Amino acid sequence: MSVMATSSRKTALVGLLSLTSVAALLIRRVLRAWRARGLGGTPFQVVQSGSRLLDPQVSPLLLKVSIGHCVRSWSDDYLRRYLGGHKIQVHVSDTPFLNFASKNFAYEVADFDSFLSRLQGENGNKFLYYRSQHSKRNKAATLEAIGLGGDVDHGFSLPDELLLPFETHSTVLRIASTGLSMWLHYDVCDNFLCCIRGRKRVILFHPDDIGLLYISGSSSAMGSRLFAEADLPQLWKEFPLAKAAWKRRHEIELHAGDVLFLPAFWAHCTQALPHESDKASISVNTFVLRRDTMSLHDPKDVWANRELLPAQDAVKAFEEKILPSLAKLPATARSFYCRKIAAQLQLEAEAASASG
C-alpha cells in the first residue's frame, strides 16, 4: 500500500489501522504502526484503541479488513448479469475534473449495460461517472435497490463488528472512468470508502481547514482542480487561502480491497487512477450514523450531505436575519461588525475543538 508523496511537496499522512481480526477492532489493543513508503519515512499515526472510531475527532484510517469476494468477482460480465437492464443516471463530461459548483457535466439516462460498454470504449474524449440511487428518490441508496442484494450473496459486506457502533445510513455503488476526478466536498455522515476495482487517489482536509476551501453548501468552488497539478499556480491565484490548506492535506492511494474510514466533516476529493487495461474504477461507500447523534441528522437526507438540524437553523437565521441586518450598515460599520462577529465565531470554533 502506498501513500502518495513526492520530494517536492509535503504530504500529510493518513492514519493506518491494521487489524488481525475485526473483533479486535472493538475489544483489544492489537494495533501497530506501519512505516510510510514516502517522504522521509514518516510513521503513520498510531491508533491505540479501536474505540477511537467513536471519537468525533478521529483521523481517517486505512482499515485492513475483508469486504468479501466482490474484489475478485465483480467483473463487467458479473455486473451486467444483475444490473444490465437497470436504468441509471450518469454524469458525462468533456473534462476529467468535475465541478459541482459550475456543473461542467451533463446528466444522461442510460441502461447500465450501455453505460459500462461506453465507459470501457471511451478514449479520453468523454468521462463518465455513476452514483447509484434508490428508485424512490426520497430513500437512501442501497445495493439491494439496484439488484445487488436479495437472496444472492454478491460478495460485498463490511464486517458486522466494524459496523457495531453505527447505524447504516446508505450504501452506494460508484463507477467512474479512469482519470475522472470528483469535486471537493464534505459529508455529514461517517463513511467507509471501499475500493473494489482499480486504484483511487484520495485527498483529504482536516475540518479545521474548512474556511480555506471555498465551500458553498457542501461543495468547493475549486471542484476537483486540485488534481490538475499543472494548474495549481493558477488555482492559488484564484483561491489563495487554499494554498495553506494544501500544505497540510492528507493524501493516500487506495487499491482493490482497501477500506478508508472517512470521518464526517473531512473535506475530500477523489481521482480514479489508471489500472492496467481496465477503464472502470469501482468503489462502494457505506455511510453510517453515530447512535448518540442520530437525532441531529435530517430524516430527509438521502445523500449524506444535508446540514445537521441545529446547523440548518443557524444557517437560516444567518442568511435571513443577520446578513440582511448587516447590509443596512454603511461600509465601514458593516466591515467592523462582520469582523467582530467572525472573531466571536472563531473563538467558539476553537473552544469546540479544544473540548472535542
Side-chain angles (χ1 to χ4, degrees):
M1 207 55 51
S2 62
V3 172
M4 305 284 292
T6 68
S7 59
S8 63
R9 68 189 187 207
K10 181 180 178 182
T11 302
L13 299 177
V14 175
L16 179 63
L17 177 58
S18 180
L19 307 178
T20 58
S21 71
V22 179
L25 176 67
L26 301 174
I27 62 175
R28 296 173 58 192
R29 293 185 176 185
V30 297
L31 306 176
R32 60 183 181 270
W34 284 11
R35 300 293 295 185
R37 295 193 297 273
L39 184 62
T42 306
F44 286 95
Q45 172 190 352
V46 180
V47 181
Q48 296 298 332
S49 171
S51 63
R52 285 287 302 278
L53 283 176
L54 298 176
D55 179 359
Q57 301 301 320
V58 71
S59 297
L61 303 170
L62 183 62
L63 305 176
K64 304 302 293 184
V65 298
S66 173
I67 56 175
H69 64 73
C70 56
V71 177
R72 302 182 305 275
S73 62
W74 282 16
S75 64
D76 285 3
D77 288 341
Y78 183 93
L79 294 174
R80 282 192 175 100
R81 188 184 315 158
Y82 294 98
L83 280 72
H86 192 75
K87 290 292 183 181
I88 62 173
Q89 186 178 70
V90 181
H91 299 64
V92 180
S93 179
D94 295 328
T95 172
F97 304 109
L98 297 194
N99 188 323
F100 184 78
S102 65
K103 298 293 194 300
N104 63 349
F105 53 85
Y107 294 108
E108 297 184 11
V109 176
D111 62 75
F112 181 86
D113 186 64
S114 298
F115 155 72
L116 199 54
S117 296
R118 181 180 178 186
L119 184 149
Q120 293 288 14
E122 279 293 344
N123 56 11
N125 293 325
K126 297 286 185 180
F127 295 87
L128 283 67
Y129 166 66
Y130 163 58
R131 180 205 192 276
S132 68
Q133 305 173 43
H134 200 286
S135 58
K136 297 180 179 179
R137 300 299 295 271
N138 63 342
K139 290 192 174 183
T142 66
L143 295 185
E144 290 79 7
I146 60 171
L148 290 176
D151 296 331
V152 178
D153 176 13
H154 290 283
F156 172 80
S157 63
L158 286 168
D160 291 340
E161 292 85 352
L162 188 65
L163 296 174
L164 187 62
F166 308 103
E167 292 288 339
T168 298
H169 171 276
S170 56
T171 302
V172 180
L173 172 67
R174 301 179 190 268
I175 303 178
S177 301
T178 53
L180 182 139
S181 301
M182 284 300 298
W183 57 82
L184 182 65
H185 69 284
Y186 69 87
D187 302 301
V188 300
C189 296
D190 294 324
N191 173 15
F192 292 97
L193 171 57
C194 310
C195 187
I196 308 298
R197 269 171 56 183
R199 299 180 298 135
K200 188 179 291 290
R201 180 184 176 191
V202 187
I203 295 174
L204 314 96
F205 297 92
H206 192 279
D208 286 355
D209 282 333
I210 191 67
L212 307 178
L213 300 176
Y214 300 87
I215 297 283
S216 178
S218 62
S219 299
S220 171
M222 294 186 290
S224 55
R225 290 170 60 189
L226 292 169
F227 291 112
E229 296 188 11
D231 186 45
L232 288 181
Q234 178 60 33
L235 193 68
W236 305 147
K237 291 180 181 179
E238 298 176 36
F239 305 97
L241 298 179
K243 188 174 183 179
W246 176 254
K247 293 178 181 178
R248 296 190 292 268
R249 74 193 182 280
H250 296 234
E251 190 169 341
I252 192 168
E253 180 181 312
L254 303 178
H255 291 216
D258 288 344
V259 179
L260 178 65
F261 176 72
L262 213 170
F265 307 115
W266 279 72
H268 56 282
C269 51
T270 63
Q271 182 180 46
L273 299 173
H275 180 68
E276 300 175 349
S277 61
D278 191 0
K279 295 184 179 180
S281 172
I282 301 179
S283 60
V284 171
N285 288 94
T286 295
F287 292 103
V288 293
L289 302 171
R290 298 172 187 267
R291 292 192 176 92
D292 58 339
T293 58
M294 283 181 60
S295 62
L296 302 180
H297 287 264
D298 191 329
K300 296 180 180 179
D301 182 13
V302 300
W303 299 92
N305 63 3
R306 283 197 180 188
E307 309 294 3
L308 300 182
L309 292 172
Q312 290 184 28
D313 293 338
V315 170
K316 183 177 180 180
F318 178 74
E319 294 176 344
E320 296 182 1
K321 294 182 179 181
I322 297 176
L323 284 180
S325 295
L326 290 170
K328 297 175 183 178
L329 295 170
T332 300
R334 185 166 66 252
S335 173
F336 173 82
Y337 284 109
C338 283
R339 295 178 191 280
K340 180 182 179 182
I341 293 171
Q344 291 175 305
L345 290 173
Q346 183 63 35
L347 288 175
E348 288 290 331
E350 291 172 0
S353 293
S355 65

